[in-house]
Amino acid sequence: PLSEIPVSALDTYRRCPKQFEFRYVEGHPGTDVAAQRDQATLGDLVHLALEHGQREPEALRALLPGVSPQTVTQAITLLQRWDSSPEFEKVRDVPAESEVPLELPLDGLRLQGRADRVGADFVLDFKTGEVDPHEFGDQLTAYALALPGHRAVIADLRAGKLHPVRVDDAPAARHG
């Protein structure tokens, strides 16, 4: 039986319990592996660049050797949006820690994750793909529950928007 899962698995379960079973119980990668890999590579590159303060193309290629020029260009666009958008000021221009490890016990499981950015009163997750704020509610709820007193926020780098997550509305909050 499962005893430990990544926090992001909660949102997979909410979307499709069968996909959760295939991916986390049976270890199946899914059917559109190439598209998933491309999106994951972009997300990984942006997260690494934010964590290490890198913005130049050469530095990005060094962070993730073998990354395509297209992905570097996409990453730079998203990074520039984070760096310059007034929408992100209240979570960008304040003291915060990056890549904070979190654990949360939930119904006999131990959820593990890394919060992208944690400030005095917020926990933030960067998203680089299409964002439906409700799709990531359980993941952000788990982060906020692991850090009492912190509000949960999604930084949608593609749209240049912050999306607050209502912690009390998500199923993970009801199981705490």
Side-chain angles (χ1 to χ4, degrees), residues 37-38 40-42 44-45 48 57-75:
R37 185 178 52 241
D38 291 347
T41 299
L42 175 62
D44 290 347
L45 183 59
L48 286 168
E58 304 78 34
L60 297 183
R61 284 191 286 275
L63 286 172
L64 204 57
V67 67
S68 75
Q70 274 179 293
T71 300
V72 170
T73 300
Q74 289 175 319

CSV table of all heavy atoms in Angstrom, one decimal, residues 37-38 40-42 44-45 48 57-75:
chain,number,residue,atom,x,y,z
A,37,ARG,N,6.8,15.6,-21.2
A,37,ARG,CA,8.2,15.8,-21.0
A,37,ARG,C,8.6,17.3,-21.4
A,37,ARG,O,9.3,17.9,-20.7
A,37,ARG,CB,9.0,14.8,-21.8
A,37,ARG,CG,10.5,14.9,-21.5
A,37,ARG,CD,11.3,13.9,-22.3
A,37,ARG,NE,11.1,13.9,-23.7
A,37,ARG,CZ,10.6,12.8,-24.4
A,37,ARG,NH1,10.3,11.7,-23.7
A,37,ARG,NH2,10.3,12.9,-25.7
A,38,ASP,N,8.1,17.8,-22.5
A,38,ASP,CA,8.4,19.1,-22.9
A,38,ASP,C,7.9,20.1,-21.9
A,38,ASP,O,8.6,21.1,-21.6
A,38,ASP,CB,7.7,19.4,-24.3
A,38,ASP,CG,8.4,18.7,-25.4
A,38,ASP,OD1,9.5,18.1,-25.2
A,38,ASP,OD2,7.8,18.6,-26.5
A,40,ALA,N,7.2,19.6,-18.8
A,40,ALA,CA,8.0,19.4,-17.5
A,40,ALA,C,9.3,20.0,-17.6
A,40,ALA,O,9.8,20.6,-16.7
A,40,ALA,CB,8.1,17.9,-17.2
A,41,THR,N,10.0,19.9,-18.8
A,41,THR,CA,11.3,20.5,-19.0
A,41,THR,C,11.2,22.0,-18.9
A,41,THR,O,12.1,22.6,-18.2
A,41,THR,CB,11.9,20.1,-20.4
A,41,THR,OG1,12.0,18.7,-20.4
A,41,THR,CG2,13.2,20.7,-20.6
A,42,LEU,N,10.2,22.6,-19.5
A,42,LEU,CA,10.0,24.1,-19.3
A,42,LEU,C,9.8,24.4,-17.9
A,42,LEU,O,10.5,25.4,-17.3
A,42,LEU,CB,8.8,24.6,-20.2
A,42,LEU,CG,8.5,26.0,-20.0
A,42,LEU,CD1,9.6,26.9,-20.4
A,42,LEU,CD2,7.2,26.4,-20.8
A,44,ASP,N,10.7,22.7,-15.2
A,44,ASP,CA,12.0,22.5,-14.5
A,44,ASP,C,13.0,23.6,-14.7
A,44,ASP,O,13.6,24.1,-13.7
A,44,ASP,CB,12.6,21.2,-14.9
A,44,ASP,CG,11.9,20.0,-14.4
A,44,ASP,OD1,11.0,20.1,-13.5
A,44,ASP,OD2,12.2,18.8,-14.9
A,45,LEU,N,13.1,24.1,-15.9
A,45,LEU,CA,14.1,25.1,-16.3
A,45,LEU,C,13.7,26.4,-15.6
A,45,LEU,O,14.6,27.1,-15.0
A,45,LEU,CB,14.2,25.3,-17.8
A,45,LEU,CG,15.2,26.3,-18.3
A,45,LEU,CD1,16.6,26.0,-17.8
A,45,LEU,CD2,15.2,26.4,-19.8
A,48,LEU,N,14.4,26.1,-11.8
A,48,LEU,CA,15.8,26.2,-11.6
A,48,LEU,C,16.4,27.6,-11.7
A,48,LEU,O,17.2,28.1,-10.9
A,48,LEU,CB,16.6,25.3,-12.5
A,48,LEU,CG,16.5,23.8,-12.2
A,48,LEU,CD1,17.1,22.9,-13.3
A,48,LEU,CD2,17.3,23.5,-10.9
A,57,PRO,N,20.5,33.3,-21.5
A,57,PRO,CA,20.4,32.0,-22.2
A,57,PRO,C,21.5,31.0,-21.9
A,57,PRO,O,21.2,29.8,-21.7
A,57,PRO,CB,20.4,32.4,-23.7
A,57,PRO,CG,19.9,33.8,-23.7
A,57,PRO,CD,20.4,34.4,-22.4
A,58,GLU,N,22.7,31.4,-21.9
A,58,GLU,CA,23.9,30.5,-21.6
A,58,GLU,C,23.7,29.9,-20.2
A,58,GLU,O,24.0,28.7,-20.0
A,58,GLU,CB,25.2,31.2,-21.7
A,58,GLU,CG,25.5,31.9,-23.0
A,58,GLU,CD,24.8,33.2,-23.2
A,58,GLU,OE1,24.6,34.0,-22.2
A,58,GLU,OE2,24.3,33.6,-24.3
A,59,ALA,N,23.4,30.7,-19.2
A,59,ALA,CA,23.2,30.2,-17.9
A,59,ALA,C,22.1,29.2,-17.8
A,59,ALA,O,22.2,28.2,-17.1
A,59,ALA,CB,23.0,31.4,-16.9
A,60,LEU,N,21.0,29.5,-18.5
A,60,LEU,CA,19.9,28.5,-18.5
A,60,LEU,C,20.3,27.2,-19.1
A,60,LEU,O,19.9,26.1,-18.6
A,60,LEU,CB,18.7,29.1,-19.2
A,60,LEU,CG,18.0,30.4,-18.6
A,60,LEU,CD1,16.8,30.8,-19.4
A,60,LEU,CD2,17.7,30.2,-17.2
A,61,ARG,N,21.0,27.2,-20.2
A,61,ARG,CA,21.5,26.0,-20.8
A,61,ARG,C,22.4,25.2,-19.9
A,61,ARG,O,22.3,24.0,-19.9
A,61,ARG,CB,22.2,26.3,-22.2
A,61,ARG,CG,21.2,26.6,-23.3
A,61,ARG,CD,21.8,26.7,-24.6
A,61,ARG,NE,22.7,27.8,-24.8
A,61,ARG,CZ,22.2,29.0,-25.3
A,61,ARG,NH1,20.9,29.2,-25.5
A,61,ARG,NH2,23.0,30.0,-25.4
A,62,ALA,N,23.2,25.9,-19.1
A,62,ALA,CA,24.0,25.3,-18.1
A,62,ALA,C,23.2,24.6,-17.0
A,62,ALA,O,23.6,23.6,-16.4
A,62,ALA,CB,25.1,26.2,-17.6
A,63,LEU,N,22.1,25.2,-16.6
A,63,LEU,CA,21.3,24.7,-15.6
A,63,LEU,C,20.6,23.4,-16.0
A,63,LEU,O,20.4,22.5,-15.1
A,63,LEU,CB,20.2,25.7,-15.2
A,63,LEU,CG,20.6,26.9,-14.4
A,63,LEU,CD1,19.4,27.8,-14.3
A,63,LEU,CD2,21.1,26.5,-13.0
A,64,LEU,N,20.3,23.2,-17.2
A,64,LEU,CA,19.6,22.0,-17.7
A,64,LEU,C,20.2,21.7,-19.1
A,64,LEU,O,19.7,22.0,-20.1
A,64,LEU,CB,18.1,22.3,-17.9
A,64,LEU,CG,17.2,21.2,-17.8
A,64,LEU,CD1,17.3,20.4,-16.5
A,64,LEU,CD2,15.8,21.7,-17.9
A,65,PRO,N,21.4,21.0,-19.0
A,65,PRO,CA,22.1,20.7,-20.3
A,65,PRO,C,21.2,19.8,-21.2
A,65,PRO,O,20.4,19.0,-20.8
A,65,PRO,CB,23.3,19.8,-19.8
A,65,PRO,CG,23.5,20.2,-18.4
A,65,PRO,CD,22.2,20.6,-17.9
A,66,GLY,N,21.3,20.2,-22.5
A,66,GLY,CA,20.5,19.5,-23.5
A,66,GLY,C,19.1,20.1,-23.8
A,66,GLY,O,18.4,19.6,-24.6
A,67,VAL,N,18.8,21.1,-23.0
A,67,VAL,CA,17.5,21.8,-23.2
A,67,VAL,C,17.5,22.5,-24.6
A,67,VAL,O,18.5,23.0,-25.1
A,67,VAL,CB,17.2,22.8,-22.1
A,67,VAL,CG1,18.1,24.0,-22.1
A,67,VAL,CG2,15.8,23.2,-22.1
A,68,SER,N,16.3,22.4,-25.3
A,68,SER,CA,16.2,23.0,-26.6
A,68,SER,C,16.2,24.5,-26.6
A,68,SER,O,15.8,25.1,-25.6
A,68,SER,CB,14.9,22.5,-27.3
A,68,SER,OG,13.8,23.2,-26.7
A,69,PRO,N,16.6,25.1,-27.7
A,69,PRO,CA,16.6,26.6,-27.8
A,69,PRO,C,15.2,27.1,-27.6
A,69,PRO,O,15.0,28.2,-27.0
A,69,PRO,CB,17.1,26.9,-29.2
A,69,PRO,CG,18.0,25.7,-29.5
A,69,PRO,CD,17.3,24.5,-28.9
A,70,GLN,N,14.2,26.4,-28.1
A,70,GLN,CA,12.8,26.8,-28.0
A,70,GLN,C,12.4,26.9,-26.5
A,70,GLN,O,11.7,27.9,-26.1
A,70,GLN,CB,11.8,25.8,-28.6
A,70,GLN,CG,11.6,26.0,-30.1
A,70,GLN,CD,10.6,24.8,-30.5
A,70,GLN,OE1,11.0,23.7,-30.5
A,70,GLN,NE2,9.4,25.2,-30.8
A,71,THR,N,12.8,25.9,-25.7
A,71,THR,CA,12.5,25.9,-24.3
A,71,THR,C,13.2,27.0,-23.6
A,71,THR,O,12.6,27.7,-22.7
A,71,THR,CB,12.8,24.5,-23.7
A,71,THR,OG1,12.1,23.5,-24.4
A,71,THR,CG2,12.5,24.5,-22.2
A,72,VAL,N,14.4,27.3,-24.0
A,72,VAL,CA,15.1,28.5,-23.3
A,72,VAL,C,14.4,29.8,-23.6
A,72,VAL,O,14.2,30.6,-22.7
A,72,VAL,CB,16.6,28.5,-23.8
A,72,VAL,CG1,17.3,29.8,-23.4
A,72,VAL,CG2,17.4,27.3,-23.3
A,73,THR,N,14.0,30.0,-24.9
A,73,THR,CA,13.3,31.2,-25.2
A,73,THR,C,12.0,31.3,-24.5
A,73,THR,O,11.6,32.4,-23.9
A,73,THR,CB,13.0,31.2,-26.8
A,73,THR,OG1,14.2,31.1,-27.4
A,73,THR,CG2,12.2,32.4,-27.2
A,74,GLN,N,11.2,30.2,-24.4
A,74,GLN,CA,10.0,30.2,-23.6
A,74,GLN,C,10.2,30.5,-22.1
A,74,GLN,O,9.5,31.3,-21.5
A,74,GLN,CB,9.3,28.9,-23.7
A,74,GLN,CG,8.7,28.6,-25.0
A,74,GLN,CD,8.1,27.1,-25.1
A,74,GLN,OE1,8.7,26.2,-24.6
A,74,GLN,NE2,6.9,27.0,-25.7
A,75,ALA,N,11.3,29.9,-21.6
A,75,ALA,CA,11.6,30.2,-20.2
A,75,ALA,C,12.0,31.6,-19.9
A,75,ALA,O,11.5,32.2,-18.9
A,75,ALA,CB,12.8,29.3,-19.8
